[in-house]
């Protein structure tokens, strides 16, 4: 992509009233645009990152046997009345309104729709287990929406639901989901702790995945000696319940949350299956959420410098940023184009800063703000010996390298 035609521009200032670091950097870098508090548009740079996060999640869901579906965001009232969540406690977060065919609510979670859907297709033990996921925008009537992408009123969620014949099967799948979640956060460049939290309808705890950072809203009691972590909401004592050692208090961003729901939602619609003996048995259920847009915000929160964002290779909107430096612009431009063509043809995603009329300092400041992992500066200084300057942003180290070596290295 030529930066001269890339839609969206970098900005010196974030909009007034935007207090969170993630939204400030993402807006200034031209990744997102603010529509209202908790409501954002994704520009090409931001959408590429969001797509990368969603694709990683999709791959890890498919790897644990889940199939992708897409349910509506517009929900009629009836299924929510069946579970008792139309007025309580759903109404606290659900946007509800009248309309033709209404009343309606905007989906803030999907147990109410997925359970009757799966019920239509499951008769006997042979039809179980079932695991379905979707990646979709959710809507929540959040009272405070000051944390940028960390707390949207509309936000991206991946929600997986699994259906089982017994607790043993649910437990085994739940363990696989934890492993998949660890892979997802590792691949996104986040160190997420597995944290016991409240809200397990059929187990003592639910499990949250928390990224430790001071900008997080949750408080975690963390035991370094035995890697056991709990959300403050379930903590009874400063001592670790597992090894007795004192624990540290950390702040964290909840990027994922998984629950054993048991029969909480299946019972509401009388969803049973017949076992080998021909008897009707309740279907057990688990649900597993991740917020891709919150993950994007969390990466921006924990991986930035004073100059701007720092994307891991797996999420970066483009892998390589090509810039020019020097007065002999024609020669430099030719070399930049040659590099751009070679890398692009090899399937590398490249952003080439071909914008005219900017100073070297302005080009560099924008590149620092956008934060692509690999940077190549084609400069007068080294051009005569066919070298370019290569910078790995993660290492913050710049070295002159032969042109062919840089191409060879980045092609891999
Ligand atoms: P929180 O306690 O932060 O409000 P929650 O526990 O209500 O979140 P869940 O219902 O568990 O959220 O949703 C699953 C995942 O969706 C969360 O782990 C988070 O990654 C994401 N998420 C939830 N609410 C939001 C939001 N308002 N904006 C962005 N992502 C969200
Ligand atoms: Mg949660």
């Amino acid at each position: 992509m030529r930066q001269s035609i890339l839609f969206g521009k970098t900005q010196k200032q974030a909009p007034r009233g935007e207090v969170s670091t993630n939204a400030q950097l993402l807006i200034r870098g031209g990744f997102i645009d603010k529509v209202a508090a908790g409501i954002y548009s994704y520009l090409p740079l931001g959408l590429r990152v969001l797509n990368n996060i969603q694709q990683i999640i999709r791959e890890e869901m498919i790897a644990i046997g889940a199939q992708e579906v897409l349910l509506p965001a517009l929900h009629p009232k009836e299924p929510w009345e069946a579970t008792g969540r139309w007025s309580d406690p759903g109404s606290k977060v659900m946007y509800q309104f009248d309309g033709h065919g209404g009343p309606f609510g905007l989906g803030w979670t999907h147990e109410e729709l997925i359970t009757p859907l799966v019920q239509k297709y499951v008769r006997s033990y042979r039809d179980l287990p079932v695991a379905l996921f979707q990646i979709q925008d959710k809507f929540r009537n959040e009272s405070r929406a000051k944390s940028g992408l960390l707390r949207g009123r509309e936000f991206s969620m991946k929600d997986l639901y699994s259906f089982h014949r017994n607790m043993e099967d649910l437990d085994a799948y739940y363990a696989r989901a934890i492993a998949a979640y660890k892979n997802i956060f590792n691949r996104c460049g986040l160190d997420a702790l597995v944290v016991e939290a409240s809200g397990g309808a059929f187990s003592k705890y639910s499990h949250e995945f928390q990224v430790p950072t001071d900008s997080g809203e949750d408080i975690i009691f963390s035991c370094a000696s035995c890697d056991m972590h709990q959300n403050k909401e379930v903590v009874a004592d400063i001592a670790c319940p597992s090894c007795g050692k004192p624990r540290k208090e950390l702040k964290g961003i909840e990027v994922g949350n998984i629950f054993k729901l048991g029969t909480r939602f299946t019972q509401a619609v009388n969803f049973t299956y017949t076992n080998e003996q021909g008897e009707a048995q309740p279907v057990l259920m688990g649900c597993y959420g991740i917020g891709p847009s919150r993950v994007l915000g969390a990466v921006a929160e924990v991986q930035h410098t004073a100059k701007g964002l720092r994307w891991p290779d797996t999420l970066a909107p483009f892998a390589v940023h090509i810039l020019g430096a020097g007065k002999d612009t024609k020669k430099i431009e030719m070399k930049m184009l040659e590099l751009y063509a070679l890398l692009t043809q090899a399937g590398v995603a490249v952003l080439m800063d071909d914008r005219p009329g900017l100073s070297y300092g302005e080009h560099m400041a924008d590149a620092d703000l956008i934060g692509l992992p690999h940077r190549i500066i084609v400069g007068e200084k080294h051009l005569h010996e066919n070298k370019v300057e290569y910078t790995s942003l993660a290492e913050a180290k710049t070295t002159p390298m032969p042109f062919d070596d840089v191409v060879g290295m980045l092609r891999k």
Side-chain angles (χ1 to χ4, degrees), residues 140 142 149-152 155 157 254-257 290-291 294:
R140 290 190 185 181
E142 300 277 4
L149 294 189
L150 300 182
R151 189 165 296 286
F155 61 94
M157 198 201 283
E254 180 206 307
V255 283
N257 202 180
I290 290 185
R294 187 180 281 183

Side-chain angles (χ1 to χ4, degrees), residues 7 11 25 33 45 102 110 115-116 119 124 197 212 220 223 250 255 293 300 302 305 336 343 367 382 389 399 402 408:
F7 183 75
Q11 296 168 33
L25 288 171
D33 179 70
L45 281 179
H110 274 74
T115 314
Q119 184 179 23
S124 86
I220 306 150
C223 179
L250 306 173
V255 283
S293 51
V302 298
T305 67
M336 285 168 74
L343 290 174
H382 300 288
E389 281 180 25
T399 25

Side-chain angles (χ1 to χ4, degrees), residues 61 108-109 111 140 157-161 174 177-178 181 184-185 192-201 203 205-211 218 231 233-234 253-261 286-292 294-295:
M61 291 296 98
W108 61 276
T109 182
E111 285 84 0
R140 290 190 185 181
M157 198 201 283
K158 182 285 301 175
D159 40 335
L160 162 70
Y161 304 89
Y174 194 84
I178 290 183
Y181 270 45
I184 289 166
F185 297 122
L193 304 174
V194 183
V195 176
E196 291 178 352
S198 66
S203 53
Y205 301 120
S206 76
H207 288 91
E208 292 176 344
F209 294 78
Q210 293 272 1
V211 175
D218 287 288
N231 193 308
E233 64 193 15
V234 299
I253 300 171
E254 180 206 307
V255 283
N257 202 180
I258 64 175
F259 301 80
K260 290 178 190 170
L261 298 171
C287 77
Y288 318 80
I290 290 185
R294 187 180 281 183
V295 168

Side-chain angles (χ1 to χ4, degrees), residues 32-256:
I32 60 172
D33 179 70
K34 184 174 187 169
V35 177
I39 309 177
Y40 296 90
S41 297
Y42 290 85
L43 308 187
L45 281 179
L47 185 58
R48 289 177 75 104
V49 181
L50 186 68
N51 284 339
N52 289 339
I53 294 168
Q54 292 175 342
Q55 188 53 26
I56 288 171
I57 295 172
R58 184 173 279 121
E59 287 168 15
E60 295 294 339
M61 291 296 98
I62 291 168
I64 56 168
Q67 296 178 48
E68 188 165 4
V69 292
L70 183 59
L71 276 50
L74 186 62
H75 295 197
K77 179 179 166 188
E78 290 71 27
W80 288 88
E81 277 188 325
T83 61
R85 292 208 292 181
W86 179 258
S87 47
D88 179 53
S91 63
K92 286 186 196 146
V93 290
M94 196 180 214
Y95 289 107
Q96 297 176 340
F97 51 91
D98 284 314
H100 295 298
F104 293 111
L106 293 178
W108 61 276
T109 182
H110 274 74
E111 285 84 0
E112 273 76 1
L113 297 201
I114 198 110
T115 314
L117 170 71
V118 175
Q119 184 179 23
K120 284 182 191 162
Y121 297 92
V122 169
R123 295 273 170 277
S124 86
Y125 67 92
R126 287 187 210 89
D127 301 321
L128 293 169
V130 170
L132 300 176
F133 76 99
Q134 61 173 347
I135 298 174
Q136 188 205 44
D137 274 7
K138 298 276 190 273
F139 301 84
R140 290 190 185 181
N141 192 0
E142 300 277 4
S143 59
R144 289 165 300 116
K146 289 189 179 162
S147 309
L149 294 189
L150 300 182
R151 189 165 296 286
R153 294 193 165 119
E154 175 175 351
F155 61 94
S156 171
M157 198 201 283
K158 182 285 301 175
D159 40 335
L160 162 70
Y161 304 89
S162 69
F163 297 84
H164 306 273
R165 50 192 301 202
N166 55 35
M167 206 60 199
E168 200 186 345
D169 201 49
L170 171 57
D171 286 346
Y173 197 77
Y174 194 84
R176 288 177 75 192
I178 290 183
Y181 270 45
K182 286 182 179 167
N183 290 344
I184 289 166
F185 297 122
N186 281 338
R187 289 177 68 183
C188 291
L190 290 174
D191 290 321
L193 304 174
V194 183
V195 176
E196 291 178 352
S198 66
F202 258 64
S203 53
K204 193 164 176 204
Y205 301 120
S206 76
H207 288 91
E208 292 176 344
F209 294 78
Q210 293 272 1
V211 175
T213 163
D214 281 342
S215 56
E217 288 182 3
D218 287 288
I219 311 243
I220 306 150
F221 278 57
S222 169
C223 179
S225 348
C226 71
D227 195 28
M228 198 274 195
H229 316 280
Q230 288 186 312
N231 193 308
K232 190 179 179 181
E233 64 193 15
V234 299
V235 165
D237 189 353
I238 180 86
C240 173
S242 154
C243 72
K245 299 251 171 67
R247 292 185 283 183
K248 259 197 321 209
E249 241 182 272
L250 306 173
K251 282 181 163 181
I253 300 171
E254 180 206 307
V255 283

